[in-house]
Amino acid sequence: MHTLDDFRYTRWIRNLNLCLQILLSFTLVIGLNYLGFKEYYRKDLTQTHNFSLNPETLAYLRQIQKPVHIIITLQKNANSDVAKKYYNDIGAILREYQYATHKNGENQFTIEYVNVFQQHNRAEELAKLYNVRGDTAILVICGEKYREILGVDLYDAKTSHFKGEQAFTSAILDVTANEKKKIYCIQGHGELNPDSSDPIQGFSAAMMILQHKNIAVEGLDLAKSVNVPDDANLLIVASPQVPFLKQEEEKLRRYLSERNGRLLVFLAVEKEHGLDDLFYDWAIRADNVTIFDDSSDYISSSGDFIIKRCEKHPITQSLIDLQIQLLMGFSRPVKVDRGAGFDEQRKVVPLLYTSESSWSQKMTKAKGNKEKIVRGGQSIAVCAERNAVSQLGIKIAGGRLIVFGNADFVTNSRLGVLGNSFLFQNAVNWCLDCDNLLNIPPRPTHNYQLSLTRKDFMWLSINILIVPCAVAMVGLLIMILRKSN
Amino acid sequence: MKHFFPLLRNELRLLVFSPSTYIAAVLFLGFMGFLYLFILQQFALEPRESLPSIDFMRVFWLPVLFMVPLLTMKSFAEEKRVGTLESLMTTPINALELTFAKFFASYVFYMVIWLSCFLLAVAAYITLPSNSVNAKLLDFASWIGGYSFVALSGLLYIAIGILTSSLSKSQLISGMLCFCLLFTLIIGERIIMEIPWGDGIITSTLEKLQAFDQLEDFCHGIVDSRPLVLYATSALFTLGITASIVDSRI
């Protein structure tokens, strides 16, 4: 008998044929899913499109050409409900970002969840590369640029609004921008040293924060340079000990007015700053007097002043929301100059106030006498901005200036205390337009609670029971009909 | 496939006239009613961020693990045990038609009893006083999304039940096998994800297969085409294998 006619061989060939069919079908399934996962479609069925990205975000994302990588060390199975909520909210919004950025089957937006408790090597790598530790880090990375998103960036104080879209879009725009933002620290007047780790004379900790935000920091001597460099996004004047020269002041004035520049000034007490004319232009007055306070509610055990009163502004909003106080040494009053000429394009807002029990007085060094001049709450920080008008008549952001009547809150010894670091970061963000660059509204996080009385619950149980009972009745009816037939 | 519809009609007629169908439906709805009542009670005790419909859909795996094996274990195993499958296959009906007919009959029943659960929400909505919070009991986006997921995942789960039923003459073995496979697919994946696989293809593949993650999106009213492709192709593949097994074992 021919081998192929043998039943054993026929069965063997049949089984082989079956296996091949299954194998080919399996590869087909894999292939279809590969394509299906590359080119996919999502639709938000909610009436108010609760989970869709804002058109502004979508417009920004369409312009992104570089791949963005997100690293999250939050844990899915975290013990705390807050961490789980963070994880779920972030996961949901990042899936929308992934969908919005996938082009031609390629995901420009990759997400990596790192379990720092299990993936020790990766955790060490992250600590080394990005200086992040712990299980709460969220990093947005593009090439060598990166930005860390903090918990405070994601929710408001009462966690009633999720600001994740704003935070992520802002971070993505930041890291994908071709130019790195640059801040110059003015030098030559005995200012705080940005490279020094000295607790009193250095503010390297503040510079470290800026570097984490992917901002380059350099020193600048105005007396030596012809003009403020073109790439300067912000100038910082931190505690000048001697007055600025007139020509230096003029350079700053031109930078602010003609180039829509940004200037952040931290004034030292009892020192002439030489910027009076510049401040007058911006309706700010910083007299050379010192503020004192004798209220125990506003003096810390170390003798520092506790600042609790903030005016509502993007710079102080997080302090108000989180009810965080500030700790500062002696300050000088910085006020809105009512005597400055009216300018409709200029907007000046006081930011921080001392307590009602405080007073300011001029220190007359020669005699050592203290002359009381003003009593009551004093403004110690003021921000001013001008709207520039484009050729088309559209108002665009112009120059911005913030003057603090205190410089020691940014020094290494005080930056980490209470809300000082928040204030510094918010001031820098405001100056660099990082706060209102996006007009993305935060999403409300709803809470639902039913009000059930005992009677309601009883009726609810009965009505819910009706559903299976109705099915049982239908079944019974069919059985009876069948038997009767 | 000309015999498919008569076969399906016959399978559905058997289901409609079978007392066990109603017993299963009553038990299922009773159990789901209890779960829904429990969820509503939790919402009365403390404020929660999700909706009752979302919490209700989140426990979809619990009835699936028990209902699908009970619903499908009889399909081929019983026919094999009593010997009717051989006689059926001597007719012009082919294995694929038969498999699809049994699959769709079970699937229709599966969906009908799941859809009946919406009546629980309607009952609660009618009972409770009308206000903005109670109106959310019938939040259509979450119900439609949740049901879309149940319908999609049901394709694969029922197909697995039909496959396991074709593997054995014993309904018990088929049922247990189905339970184990579904458990691995739904819960096991989650456990496997706990293993640090690194940032490779295994992790990304496992992440894409996570039923709970897909459910989260659907429950919140976001419909995604990826689970549609995944469950539809996997169900077709599983049914294809089932048809081959039925064909080869006769």
Side-chain angles (χ1 to χ4, degrees):
Chain A
M1 198 169 69
H2 194 272
T3 319
L4 287 174
D5 295 332
D6 191 339
F7 273 112
R8 277 191 306 165
Y9 284 105
T10 310
R11 174 167 276 187
W12 189 84
I13 287 168
R14 201 179 151 191
N15 286 343
L16 184 70
N17 183 30
L18 188 68
C19 289
L20 278 173
Q21 278 181 36
I22 291 171
L23 192 70
L24 287 171
S25 307
F26 185 69
T27 52
L28 181 68
V29 169
I30 299 282
L32 284 172
N33 276 286
Y34 179 74
L35 291 174
F37 274 81
K38 269 187 165 263
E39 285 297 336
Y40 60 98
Y41 175 75
R42 278 166 80 87
K43 172 90 180 156
D44 184 354
L45 296 176
T46 54
Q47 274 184 332
T48 47
H49 296 285
N50 295 344
F51 301 96
S52 301
L53 293 179
N54 191 287
E56 193 178 346
T57 301
L58 293 173
Y60 283 128
L61 293 178
R62 271 195 288 272
Q63 292 167 7
I64 290 173
Q65 300 295 326
K66 300 171 188 172
V68 176
H69 186 58
I70 302 228
I71 296 175
I72 296 169
T73 61
L74 289 166
Q75 299 306 302
K76 191 176 189 175
N77 301 321
N79 290 330
S80 88
D81 288 342
V82 178
K84 275 182 193 163
K85 176 184 159 64
Y86 273 38
Y87 184 92
N88 289 333
D89 287 346
I90 290 166
I93 201 158
L94 288 182
R95 283 197 285 274
E96 293 304 319
Y97 274 93
Q98 268 193 318
Y99 175 58
T101 51
H102 91 282
K103 286 178 190 166
N104 305 324
E106 291 298 326
N107 256 333
Q108 277 200 307
F109 202 87
T110 48
I111 306 166
E112 180 188 355
Y113 290 92
V114 177
N115 189 332
V116 288
F117 303 112
Q118 291 179 343
Q119 296 165 261
H120 298 295
N121 291 343
R122 186 68 179 133
E124 273 177 32
E125 201 180 352
L126 292 180
K128 201 187 280 179
L129 285 171
Y130 309 112
N131 197 26
V132 291
R133 291 176 195 281
D135 59 345
T136 55
I138 304 161
L139 283 170
V140 181
I141 305 161
C142 178
E144 288 185 350
K145 291 183 180 180
Y146 69 94
R147 188 164 147 188
E148 187 176 357
I149 293 177
L150 306 170
V152 72
D153 299 328
L154 295 171
Y155 293 93
D156 62 1
K158 294 169 186 168
T159 60
S160 61
H161 285 84
F162 178 59
K163 301 188 291 179
E165 187 177 348
Q166 200 173 18
F168 277 108
T169 306
S170 169
I172 290 164
L173 285 176
D174 195 10
V175 296
T176 53
N178 288 326
E179 288 175 8
K180 198 173 183 177
K181 283 189 174 119
K182 202 163 191 179
I183 293 177
Y184 284 93
C185 290
I186 305 293
Q187 291 172 346
H189 313 87
E191 286 94 347
L192 295 175
N193 186 351
D195 300 321
S196 168
S197 55
D198 184 272
I200 310 294
Q201 291 301 317
F203 73 131
S204 58
M207 296 303 106
M208 189 74 86
I209 290 174
L210 297 180
Q211 279 157 11
H212 279 178
K213 285 177 175 283
N214 198 37
I215 298 168
V217 183
E218 263 187 42
L220 174 69
D221 191 338
L222 278 176
K224 288 179 189 167
S225 64
V226 181
N227 230 327
V228 174
D230 290 340
D231 61 349
N233 295 103
L234 170 66
L235 301 181
I236 294 180
V237 177
S239 190
Q241 302 298 305
V242 291
F244 275 69
L245 301 172
K246 277 290 164 200
Q247 58 267 36
E248 290 177 321
E249 190 186 17
E250 179 58 19
K251 283 174 194 170
L252 290 176
R253 194 194 63 75
R254 285 211 310 270
Y255 167 71
L256 278 172
S257 306
E258 294 168 14
R259 289 167 51 191
N260 294 336
R262 312 295 159 99
L263 179 62
L264 184 52
V265 183
F266 302 98
L267 294 175
V269 287
E270 295 181 50
K271 303 285 179 201
E272 289 292 341
H273 48 74
L275 296 171
D276 298 296
D277 292 343
L278 175 76
F279 290 169
Y280 181 78
D281 266 4
W282 288 82
I284 294 172
R285 196 171 145 190
D287 293 330
N288 192 12
V289 291
T290 309
I291 296 172
F292 296 90
D293 201 336
D294 56 7
S295 166
S296 57
D297 288 343
Y298 291 85
I299 303 282
S300 73
S301 55
S302 56
D304 291 323
F305 297 95
I306 297 169
I307 308 297
K308 298 180 183 177
R309 294 171 61 202
C310 303
E311 190 78 29
K312 213 171 176 184
H313 189 272
I315 298 171
T316 52
Q317 193 59 53
S318 60
L319 300 173
I320 297 168
D321 287 345
L322 300 167
Q323 295 181 328
I324 300 177
Q325 299 162 354
L326 302 160
L327 196 77
M328 296 180 177
F330 283 113
S331 304
R332 61 198 291 165
V334 179
K335 300 171 184 171
V336 178
D337 193 345
R338 307 286 173 200
F342 175 74
D343 184 349
E344 65 171 354
Q345 286 174 357
R346 186 183 60 209
K347 191 180 166 194
V348 192
V349 182
L351 297 173
L352 308 169
Y353 295 97
T354 56
S355 77
E356 285 300 324
S357 58
S358 63
W359 72 92
S360 62
Q361 61 187 104
K362 195 162 188 169
M363 304 286 279
T364 315
K365 283 184 181 175
K367 294 176 184 175
N369 292 335
K370 292 174 181 177
E371 184 195 345
K372 288 188 183 180
I373 48 171
V374 180
R375 275 206 167 272
Q378 311 266 326
S379 155
I380 55 164
V382 170
C383 68
E385 64 179 316
R386 271 204 172 95
N387 287 318
V389 181
S390 74
Q391 287 176 336
L392 296 168
I394 302 164
K395 278 186 179 180
I396 52 171
R400 285 181 171 181
L401 168 65
I402 310 177
V403 182
F404 287 95
N406 179 289
D408 62 14
F409 83 94
V410 289
T411 56
N412 292 333
S413 60
R414 283 215 176 93
L415 188 74
V417 181
L418 301 179
N420 292 2
S421 170
F422 279 118
L423 181 65
F424 173 72
Q425 289 183 62
N426 291 350
V428 171
N429 283 343
W430 186 74
C431 284
L432 294 175
D433 283 329
C434 293
D435 65 317
N436 60 357
L437 186 70
L438 308 166
N439 190 22
I440 300 165
R443 298 172 185 198
T445 50
H446 299 290
N447 271 322
Y448 301 100
Q449 184 165 24
L450 296 173
S451 52
L452 276 182
T453 61
R454 200 170 275 193
K455 192 180 168 189
D456 284 340
F457 192 73
M458 192 189 75
W459 278 109
L460 190 64
S461 310
I462 292 168
N463 282 356
I464 281 180
L465 204 64
I466 287 174
V467 181
C469 289
V471 175
M473 291 297 287
V474 172
L476 213 61
L477 200 69
I478 287 174
M479 292 307 113
I480 292 166
L481 283 172
R482 270 193 77 192
K483 281 198 174 171
S484 64
N485 286 340
Chain B
M1 295 288 277
K2 64 178 181 178
H3 301 112
F4 169 70
F5 286 106
L7 279 170
L8 177 64
R9 208 175 304 128
N10 182 54
E11 290 288 338
L12 287 173
R13 197 176 56 84
L14 285 174
L15 276 173
V16 169
F17 292 120
S18 165
S20 58
T21 306
Y22 295 95
I23 293 167
V26 167
L27 288 175
F28 175 81
L29 286 170
F31 177 68
M32 294 309 273
F34 171 76
L35 270 181
Y36 192 61
L37 205 60
F38 177 75
I39 288 165
L40 292 182
Q41 196 196 17
Q42 296 302 306
F43 272 83
L45 290 176
E46 57 177 1
R48 295 168 82 92
E49 275 186 20
S50 55
L51 291 167
S53 49
I54 295 176
D55 277 11
F56 180 69
M57 284 297 176
R58 276 180 183 150
V59 288
F60 86 102
W61 56 274
L62 200 58
V64 162
L65 282 181
F66 296 99
M67 192 173 74
V68 173
L70 290 171
L71 193 66
T72 55
M73 65 186 189
K74 199 178 162 186
S75 305
F76 282 112
E78 179 71 0
E79 299 242 22
K80 275 185 182 177
R81 194 182 64 80
V82 293
T84 50
L85 190 62
E86 283 83 353
S87 13
L88 198 63
M89 295 309 288
T90 55
T91 63
I93 296 164
N94 66 40
L96 202 63
E97 287 171 329
L98 188 64
T99 308
F100 270 78
K102 287 193 179 293
F103 166 77
F104 275 107
S106 301
Y107 185 69
V108 166
F109 179 64
Y110 175 80
M111 282 313 295
V112 164
I113 52 172
W114 261 109
L115 287 170
S116 317
C117 292
F118 184 65
L119 294 173
L120 301 171
V122 175
Y125 178 74
I126 294 166
T127 314
L128 296 175
S130 172
N131 60 42
S132 60
V133 177
N134 294 345
K136 288 282 177 189
L137 290 170
L138 296 183
D139 178 64
F140 282 102
S142 58
W143 280 109
I144 291 171
Y147 273 128
S148 303
F149 178 77
V150 167
L152 286 177
S153 60
L155 288 171
L156 178 62
Y157 300 153
I158 298 288
I160 287 173
I162 300 286
L163 170 71
T164 52
S165 175
S166 70
L167 293 174
S168 168
K169 280 181 184 175
S170 161
Q171 285 190 41
L172 187 70
I173 292 171
S174 298
M176 280 308 292
L177 193 59
C178 179
F179 177 86
C180 292
L181 282 175
L182 291 178
F183 186 87
T184 313
L185 206 60
I186 301 168
I187 314 287
E189 257 177 12
R190 225 175 176 182
I191 299 164
I192 293 167
M193 272 300 284
E194 293 296 310
I195 302 166
W197 296 102
D199 189 29
I201 193 165
I202 299 173
T203 311
S204 62
T205 309
L206 284 170
E207 274 172 3
K208 283 165 187 162
L209 298 177
Q210 288 287 311
F212 286 99
D213 286 351
Q214 295 158 358
L215 177 74
E216 276 302 307
D217 272 350
F218 275 85
C219 277
H220 285 97
I222 302 164
V223 178
D224 196 321
S225 67
R226 287 171 293 184
L228 170 71
V229 176
L230 175 71
Y231 289 118
T233 53
S234 311
L236 280 173
F237 175 67
T238 313
L239 290 174
I241 295 177
T242 311
S244 304
I245 289 168
V246 172
D247 206 21
S248 65
R249 292 211 173 174
I250 293 163

